[in-house]
Structures are given as structure tokens and as C-alpha cells.
Amino acid sequence: MAKHNLQWDENKLKRFLREGRGQGEGQDYKPWVTVQDFPSKGRCSRVLGWKTNRIHHLFTDSETRYFYLLEWEDAVVDIREHFPLLDLEEVVKEKDDLNFNLFQDKNSGLPYIIYTSFLITIKDTDGQKRYIARSLKADYELQRKRSIERLEIERRYWLNKHIDWGIVTQKDIPTVKAKNIEWVHSSL
């Protein structure tokens, strides 16, 4: 019996929505995908967040290190990993030049739900909340057509939502600082 059901169909979509995935904030947020949903191609982490008091599901070392950097920042008040773009069809109006066929299940034909690595809530010095979205990718993935297409979809989505979006690679993450924060984080 297979441990992971990688098939994407209407039943799985309904189950994810019924479970409340991609919904909520802070302690009540449930990521769209968790480490149990996919077989690992590397090291996955589940980390109890200081700011959210919930388990965060992180698929790569880069995601984990970036998460620790976010945890350390005083202005960050919420970190939502694997945030789904559930209203993508309504938000992105200009999509004729995008190839959405790359992001659908070959068997069911159902489009996959595209998600952004992190949706971060920041409290400004004047007490106002604002959001930033960050997509984490390995630098070599930026050469792949599928990755570029997905990132362009995300960019247009967040642009239309008026939310600052950007790409973060492993080269943008200060590894030593992240590891030091991880060490402190685990001690507390």
C-alpha cells in the first residue's frame, strides 16, 4: 500500500477545503500542503513557531532557514507557509499568455492549487498590518520553464492583490544567522 496518494482529483480538493487547509491566521492557520502529503526528496521539518504557537510544515532546508529568519524579526507577527491561491481565476485577469496546462493533473484534468511559500503578516511601526508574499526556489529552478511560468502566475496574483511579492533563493539566506537562530529557537 502506497504511503502517499499523489493523485489530485475533485474528492481530494473537497477534502482539503473541508479540513480548512489554507484558511485561518496565527495558531488557527492550516497550510495547504503538509510534510505528510508528499514523499520527501530531501529534509523536511516540522517546527513549533514562536509567533503562531503551531507546527509549521517546511519542505526544504531553505524554507526552514527562511522561517527562522522570519521568526527572529520583531515586525513579523504571523507566518503562513504554503498559502494557496484559491481565488486565482478571479484575481488574475490577464492570463491568455500563461500556460495553465502545466499545472493540472494528467489523469483527472483538474488544475492543481498553486500556492506561495510564505504569506507573512508584518506590523509596521505605526501599528498597521501589511502582508508580503515570498516564493522560495532553488536558484537552478529559475532556469526551468515550469518554474518560471508558476512564478509569473504568482507574481500576477499578488500584484492584483496589491501585496508585495518576491522570490528568495538559497543565496539570499544568510545560513550562519539562520542556524544560530535555529539553535536559540530549539533551546527556548
Side-chain angles (χ1 to χ4, degrees):
M1 180 183 231
K3 182 177 179 183
H4 301 279
N5 177 8
L6 298 179
Q7 184 177 340
W8 182 249
D9 57 24
E10 194 70 36
N11 290 332
K12 195 169 192 178
L13 173 62
K14 287 178 182 175
R15 179 173 59 90
F16 276 30
L17 293 171
R18 190 174 53 251
E19 290 173 359
R21 294 191 188 208
Q23 300 170 42
E25 291 185 31
Q27 188 173 7
D28 298 325
Y29 176 73
K30 293 183 181 177
W32 184 251
V33 291
T34 66
V35 296
Q36 292 91 356
D37 293 327
F38 299 102
S40 175
K41 291 183 180 178
R43 186 179 12 231
C44 296
S45 302
R46 288 182 295 241
V47 181
L48 178 62
W50 287 337
K51 296 176 185 289
T52 61
N53 196 33
R54 70 170 177 83
I55 300 293
H56 292 264
H57 294 255
L58 307 161
F59 291 122
T60 65
D61 286 342
S62 292
E63 281 185 5
T64 303
R65 290 178 184 137
Y66 191 70
F67 169 79
Y68 283 124
L69 294 173
L70 294 173
E71 280 277 82
W72 195 253
E73 288 297 321
D74 290 336
V76 173
V77 294
D78 192 12
I79 304 165
R80 290 181 272 179
E81 73 278 17
H82 314 300
F83 187 84
L85 314 183
L86 293 172
D87 56 350
L88 180 66
E89 290 292 320
E90 297 84 43
V91 172
V92 178
K93 303 295 184 205
E94 297 174 20
K95 52 185 162 240
D96 293 338
D97 61 329
L98 298 172
N99 187 0
F100 282 91
N101 292 334
L102 292 173
F103 309 102
Q104 66 184 19
D105 187 82
K106 288 175 179 41
N107 296 323
S108 68
L110 186 70
Y112 294 118
I113 301 299
I114 293 176
Y115 55 86
T116 296
S117 303
F118 291 100
L119 179 61
I120 306 151
T121 308
I122 295 176
K123 191 175 270 188
D124 289 330
T125 53
D126 61 356
Q128 295 292 321
K129 282 187 182 179
R130 66 181 177 94
Y131 302 97
I132 61 172
R134 293 294 179 261
S135 294
L136 269 75
K137 290 287 180 195
D139 60 345
Y140 64 85
E141 288 182 284
L142 300 178
Q143 305 303 315
R144 296 181 179 164
K145 180 180 178 171
R146 183 180 171 105
S147 292
I148 292 169
E149 193 78 22
R150 179 185 170 127
L151 292 168
E152 178 59 17
I153 291 169
E154 288 183 59
R155 185 190 72 78
R156 291 184 192 184
Y157 177 87
W158 294 112
L159 180 69
N160 287 327
K161 290 269 193 174
H162 307 289
I163 292 176
D164 179 24
W165 173 83
I167 301 169
V168 178
T169 70
Q170 74 276 11
K171 293 180 178 180
D172 299 316
I173 300 169
T175 304
V176 173
K177 180 177 180 179
K179 286 183 176 184
N180 286 340
I181 297 168
E182 179 182 11
W183 179 77
V184 170
H185 198 278
S186 63
S187 297
L188 293 176

